[in-house]
Amino acid sequence: MRNSFLATALICTVSALLFAVLRYGIEAADDFSAFNHPAQPWALDLHIASSVGLSVLLGLVFGVHVLPRWSTEARGRNSGRTLLVLATLMVASGALLPVCAREVLRSWMAWIHGVSGAAFALGIPWHLIRVRAARKRTVQGTGDSALRTEADFSAPRLRARGAPRPRASLARDGIAR
């Protein structure tokens, strides 16, 4: 799921950049043209299609990555919170953008969507770098020993009803006794 998320986020980012360049960076050759460039509607279509996939994957990541770690891990929490706020702004403004009737409100939504989307795209590698650095500190023994050393998108293992709780194993977490 991690690779699907990152690939979809990359497609969404590249298509948004392509649309922005075609829409705002190029002057229309013809005064009667509806678009500045013939590829402009294709870039927008690709961005919309990939954003639907990204929204679905964001929901999955929230369920299997964010919620299980919210109260148990300190590693990457600030960058994760920032990404969560940016994703909320990006998705909400993207959904409201086509339905804004007033030009002033539509302009505000476009700015919010562009800025939050760009910050989200830059925030993903920032989050991954911060988590990787925290993982290294934890493995080397300089970080909080309660942190898990593996950051992945897998869901927490569920135990059968009535089964005993597994004991926390420091060796399993990669921490020497």
Side-chain angles (χ1 to χ4, degrees):
M1 181 170 42
R2 178 182 184 161
N3 291 337
S4 298
F5 174 76
L6 294 175
T8 306
L10 181 65
I11 292 169
C12 199
T13 301
V14 169
S15 63
L17 289 172
L18 180 61
F19 174 75
V21 167
L22 295 175
R23 171 78 169 100
Y24 302 107
I26 296 176
E27 289 287 325
D30 183 11
D31 291 338
F32 298 104
S33 176
F35 305 108
N36 293 345
H37 190 275
Q40 182 180 332
W42 292 93
L44 182 59
D45 291 345
L46 179 61
H47 179 66
I48 292 171
S50 62
S51 67
V52 170
L54 183 62
S55 297
V56 170
L57 287 169
L58 278 170
L60 288 172
V61 167
F62 185 76
V64 300
H65 178 73
V66 175
L67 286 179
R69 289 165 174 80
W70 192 266
S71 62
T72 60
E73 289 190 22
R75 178 178 61 213
R77 191 173 297 158
N78 289 335
S79 59
R81 274 193 205 125
T82 303
L83 281 175
L84 190 61
V85 169
L86 290 171
T88 303
L89 286 171
M90 176 181 66
V91 171
S93 61
L96 292 174
L97 194 55
V99 297
C100 291
R102 294 186 176 160
E103 190 60 35
V104 172
L105 186 58
R106 184 173 169 77
S107 177
W108 274 96
M109 283 297 129
W111 273 102
I112 291 170
H113 186 67
V115 169
S116 63
F120 182 79
L122 294 172
I124 293 172
W126 173 59
H127 179 65
L128 295 174
I129 289 168
R130 285 185 52 112
V131 169
R132 185 170 289 142
R135 186 182 320 141
K136 283 183 182 177
R137 283 193 308 271
T138 302
V139 171
Q140 293 170 352
T142 59
D144 184 7
S145 63
L147 298 177
R148 293 193 318 195
T149 59
E150 296 177 5
D152 58 14
F153 287 98
S154 61
R157 293 189 183 107
L158 300 176
R159 57 186 175 88
R161 176 172 272 212
R165 288 181 165 253
R167 289 183 27 180
S169 170
L170 294 177
R172 183 189 70 217
D173 292 337
I175 300 168
R177 291 182 188 212

